[in-house]
Amino acid sequence: MIVEPLIQGAAGMRIYPVERLKRFRELCAANDVLFIVDEVFTGFGRTGRMFACDHAAIVPDLICLSKGLTGGFLPLAATVCRDEIYQAFYNPDRMRAFFHGHSYSGNPLGCAAAVANLKIFETEPVFERIAGIERIHRERLPEFRNHAAVSDVRMLGTIAAIELHAQDPGYLSCVRSRLYPYFLNRGILLRPLGNVIYTVPPYVISADDLHYVYDTIGTALL
Ligand SMILES: Cc1ncc(COP(=O)(O)O)c(C=O)c1O
């Protein structure tokens, strides 16, 4: 079973309860099914905890990591698994080992960026910054809740989403093509998912910049 834990990103920032994630884990364990979580989007603090799985206090069998591993700066991904899974692929006898590599496996620059990024987590108040972003989301999102153009607002950690009414809701909604240039012309790179505007700011964003993003969303919806 493969899931995006707690939030389906590209599907429109669709959030589901922690209890459901726990239940997925239980069902997989009970039925001897591998439980794979894709934390490519959610990993490294994005949801307010280091990993989305931490909200549910669960440990998957395999976890997919990328984006936040290098702070989003260089392309690097890692697939991490429980030891018994690793052992099934490992064999000192080269005839029995599972050889699998990628063109850019262990890319030194990517790995250096990841190490530098993980050091920042250890030495800087990253989770305070994350909490600061959450505070601003919590303060500003309610402004949009009762807006005539808005059907829903939701957030999880540093992720905030504003879903707009649309005649063609979904990923291919034409709302995106109207809004994208509006934000870009005002110095903001926001990429609405169809009719869902969302922000996932870099953790170093200043409060002023994030307020500017919200102010600009406000004028876009006038
Ligand atoms: C949850 C999730 N998984 C996977 C990917 C894609 O990962 P990759 O670029 O490593 O194929 C994305 C990219 O947006 C994502 O959000």
Side-chain angles (χ1 to χ4, degrees):
M1 180 174 191
I2 307 174
V3 301
E4 286 177 83
L6 297 188
I7 182 162
Q8 293 182 300
M13 301 299 151
R14 292 152 58 119
I15 298 168
Y16 61 89
V18 169
E19 287 310 316
R20 196 171 307 158
L21 181 58
K22 279 190 190 158
R23 187 78 187 117
F24 292 156
R25 169 72 282 190
E26 284 165 12
L27 282 171
C28 286
N31 292 283
D32 204 17
V33 168
L34 287 179
F35 187 51
I36 303 168
V37 297
D38 177 345
E39 293 235 19
V40 166
F41 174 52
T42 51
F44 301 97
R46 189 46 78 192
T47 67
R49 305 286 291 267
M50 193 59 164
F51 299 106
C53 284
D54 295 338
H55 291 274
I58 58 159
V59 178
D61 296 304
L62 289 114
I63 186 168
C64 316
L65 304 171
S66 189
K67 303 190 195 295
L69 177 57
T70 61
F73 274 89
L74 282 177
L76 186 74
T79 305
V80 183
C81 63
R82 297 168 79 92
D83 194 51
E84 64 248 46
I85 297 168
Y86 177 79
Q87 288 304 330
F89 286 91
Y90 176 78
N91 200 305
D93 174 355
R94 290 164 64 85
M95 289 304 286
R96 290 171 179 273
F98 177 64
F99 284 106
H100 183 67
H102 307 275
S103 306
Y104 295 107
S105 282
N107 179 269
L109 278 180
C111 292
V115 168
N117 179 52
L118 294 174
K119 271 206 185 107
I120 290 173
F121 270 94
E122 285 172 4
T123 56
E124 296 187 24
V126 177
F127 281 91
E128 277 174 35
R129 291 174 194 151
I130 287 171
I133 293 170
E134 284 193 57
R135 263 196 304 280
I136 295 175
H137 284 336
R138 230 175 275 288
E139 176 191 333
R140 299 299 304 268
L141 268 184
E143 292 168 27
F144 297 93
R145 191 172 292 282
N146 296 318
H147 192 288
V150 173
S151 59
D152 188 34
V153 299
R154 45 190 180 266
M155 66 170 281
L156 177 65
T158 67
I159 307 158
I162 298 171
E163 184 160 348
L164 306 181
H165 291 295
Q167 284 177 336
D168 58 344
Y171 191 77
L172 299 178
S173 172
C174 64
V175 170
R176 180 194 192 275
S177 49
R178 192 167 48 79
L179 287 177
Y180 181 78
Y182 181 90
F183 292 118
L184 209 52
N185 289 336
R186 286 156 185 80
I188 301 172
L189 183 57
L190 274 192
R191 300 184 311 156
L193 290 156
N195 58 315
V196 179
I197 300 175
Y198 72 99
T199 67
V200 284
Y203 304 153
V204 290
I205 194 169
S206 70
D208 283 352
D209 281 351
L210 189 49
H211 281 295
Y212 174 65
V213 171
Y214 275 106
D215 293 345
T216 309
I217 295 173
T219 56
L221 300 187
L222 279 180

